[in-house]
Amino acid sequence: MVHHHFPWSGTVSEAQTPASDSSKDEQATLLGKRIIVFCLLLVTVFLTKPSSSPNYVPQPSTPRDNARLVKELKLRNDPPPTAMAREIVSAHNKYRLEVGVPPLAWSNTLASHAMAWAKQLASENAFKHDDNNLSEGENIWMGTGGYYSYTQMTDSFGSEKHYYVPGTFPNISKTGSWGDVGHYTQMICPETTHVGCAGASGSDGKYRLVCRYYPPGNITGYGLK
């Protein structure tokens, strides 16, 4: 909560001379103005409060698509080139370690694909999945620019584990809907080996983070721990 402190001018003493009617009217007017200013500031604080949007859920691929696409991308294990990349890989692998699956490696190729889509979203002030992406898993995040770390962005995906139950996709959610855990299950998918992420800001003040995964997760019939 943000508190605003307003200095009230003047001093008060027990021996003050009683104020005239005119003085009382002026004080009432001044008090009214101060109340209006205070209310406007509260509204401003509320409107500028950092916010993050819910993440859209990727549609599941099929086992056939995945078997075909594994042969299409030959990815290297690239050293994470920036502090951002290192933070994102670390944040992802924390969740993978919890369920005992191998860590993800960074891919500059996936990061470049993610950047292209992040820039597209930012240019349109949009928030949606890339319908033309048929070979990679995708998680996207959007929130007020400058307020969230990459760990916090990744943790928004990981927070879905509260609804997760081990099983065979798509029967992996306590709610009965795999969409409630789809970002988390993409992060911990045992078949996924690489991740690459990038972000861009729009003129609306929102930052979009796009993460691409390969091979894609959330495949019908895949077993999850």
Side-chain angles (χ1 to χ4, degrees):
M1 180 179 292
V2 178
H3 297 276
H4 291 275
H5 300 279
F6 296 91
W8 297 89
S9 58
T11 58
V12 179
S13 68
E14 294 179 357
Q16 277 187 321
T17 303
S20 65
D21 291 341
S22 175
S23 176
K24 290 180 179 179
D25 289 342
E26 291 177 357
Q27 291 177 0
T29 300
L30 180 60
L31 178 61
K33 289 181 179 180
R34 286 171 172 164
I35 292 174
I36 291 173
V37 170
F38 180 72
C39 291
L40 288 174
L41 282 171
L42 287 179
V43 171
T44 301
V45 169
F46 176 78
L47 292 177
T48 56
K49 181 182 178 181
S51 63
S52 59
S53 298
N55 310 290
Y56 284 98
V57 178
Q59 294 301 311
S61 305
T62 65
R64 177 184 300 176
D65 287 343
N66 189 59
R68 174 175 60 84
L69 294 169
V70 165
K71 300 177 182 179
E72 291 187 357
L73 287 184
K74 300 294 184 182
L75 302 179
R76 300 180 305 178
N77 293 349
D78 299 312
T82 63
M84 166 193 171
R86 291 189 291 273
E87 182 176 349
I88 288 175
V89 169
S90 177
H92 275 75
N93 286 336
K94 174 186 70 175
Y95 291 100
R96 293 178 70 86
L97 178 63
E98 289 176 350
V99 295
V101 296
L104 295 177
W106 180 263
S107 166
N108 289 334
T109 298
L110 292 178
S112 67
H113 297 172
M115 177 57 80
W117 187 240
K119 287 182 176 180
Q120 180 71 25
L121 292 177
S123 68
E124 300 174 357
N125 287 334
F127 187 55
K128 59 185 179 180
H129 278 292
D130 182 359
D131 292 334
N132 295 318
N133 169 35
L134 302 177
S135 62
E136 302 161 6
E138 180 178 81
N139 282 346
I140 59 176
W141 178 96
M142 182 174 74
T144 305
Y147 284 99
Y148 299 92
S149 69
Y150 292 106
T151 297
Q152 289 174 312
M153 296 177 197
T154 305
D155 283 345
S156 73
F157 304 145
S159 66
E160 295 175 352
K161 72 177 184 178
H162 176 72
Y163 300 107
Y164 170 73
V165 290
T168 301
F169 189 87
N171 302 312
I172 53 173
S173 175
K174 294 177 183 177
T175 67
S177 172
W178 75 268
D180 293 330
V181 296
H183 301 91
Y184 172 66
T185 53
Q186 170 58 86
M187 287 202 302
I188 65 167
C189 177
E191 285 75 15
T192 300
T193 58
H194 291 79
V195 63
C197 306
S201 297
S203 60
D204 58 356
K206 302 291 187 179
Y207 182 82
R208 283 105 174 139
L209 178 73
V210 177
C211 286
R212 292 288 181 87
Y213 305 85
Y214 195 83
N218 295 337
I219 306 294
T220 301
Y222 272 11
L224 293 167
K225 298 180 178 182

